[in-house]
Amino acid sequence: MWPQDPPILSDAGITLRAPDDADVAVITKACADLDIAHFTRVPQPYTEADARDYLALTRQQWAERSGAHFAICDLSGLLGMCSIFHLDEGPDQVELGYWMAPWARGKGAAAQAVRILCDWGHGQLGLERIYAMIEDVNLASIRVATAAGFRPLDATEDGELKGTMRQYRRYEHQA
């Protein structure tokens, strides 16, 4: 069942909450990172206006029930973002996306956040399957997905990102 407002989800020192206007500066700083720019859809260069547009999109998708976007936080503050989207396309077509700020990588927070989000999606929303599309060269993202319980499928798929054709492998997480 879809809640009226985004919930606060928490486990083992990691909290997921709706991103808000106070996050604009940190999101802008994090998205200036070249790895985030390369492997995600965020524009480059990334500006505060981009961050505000992103926050508006998160609110719109929540209201439409097509996406659920969460800030990944610990006691030190915002570490990254994780989202599930395409929620309006059926319970087996939901895609996961995530990024971690450079200062937050390598500590296990991303995998913990993805586990929390997937548990909520399966349990609260009744999602059967959640998938992530990851390039084979994105080893850090592969480590996060597999640590969170995603399993790779054999086939790869071509996709376009920022004007470049890339090859992605689908990773799936089932309830």
Side-chain angles (χ1 to χ4, degrees), residues 14-65:
I14 298 297
T15 298
L16 304 183
R17 61 161 175 79
D20 61 36
D21 293 336
D23 298 323
V24 167
V26 177
I27 291 171
T28 303
K29 180 179 177 184
C31 288
D33 176 66
L34 295 179
D35 283 339
I36 291 174
H38 178 76
F39 289 116
T40 71
R41 295 179 185 105
V42 301
Q44 185 67 19
Y46 197 86
T47 67
E48 285 193 3
D50 293 318
R52 284 190 288 279
D53 289 346
Y54 171 70
L55 291 177
L57 176 70
T58 69
R59 294 173 184 129
Q60 175 187 345
Q61 287 188 353
W62 183 268
E64 295 171 347
R65 299 180 178 187

Side-chain angles (χ1 to χ4, degrees), residues 1-2 13 20 39 63 79 84 89 97 115 122 125 129 143:
M1 173 154 38
W2 192 263
D20 61 36
F39 289 116
L79 306 174
I84 49 176
E89 295 181 19
R115 280 192 293 272
H122 292 309
L125 302 181
R129 195 174 10 209
R143 283 191 297 273

Side-chain angles (χ1 to χ4, degrees), residues 39 133-143 152-157 166-171:
F39 289 116
M133 300 301 289
I134 305 172
E135 290 182 80
D136 287 342
V137 297
N138 190 346
L139 300 178
S141 193
I142 291 169
R143 283 191 297 273
L153 300 181
D154 290 334
T156 58
E157 300 174 29
R166 303 183 187 198
Q167 194 170 66
Y168 297 90
R169 184 170 312 279
R170 183 182 288 246
Y171 288 75

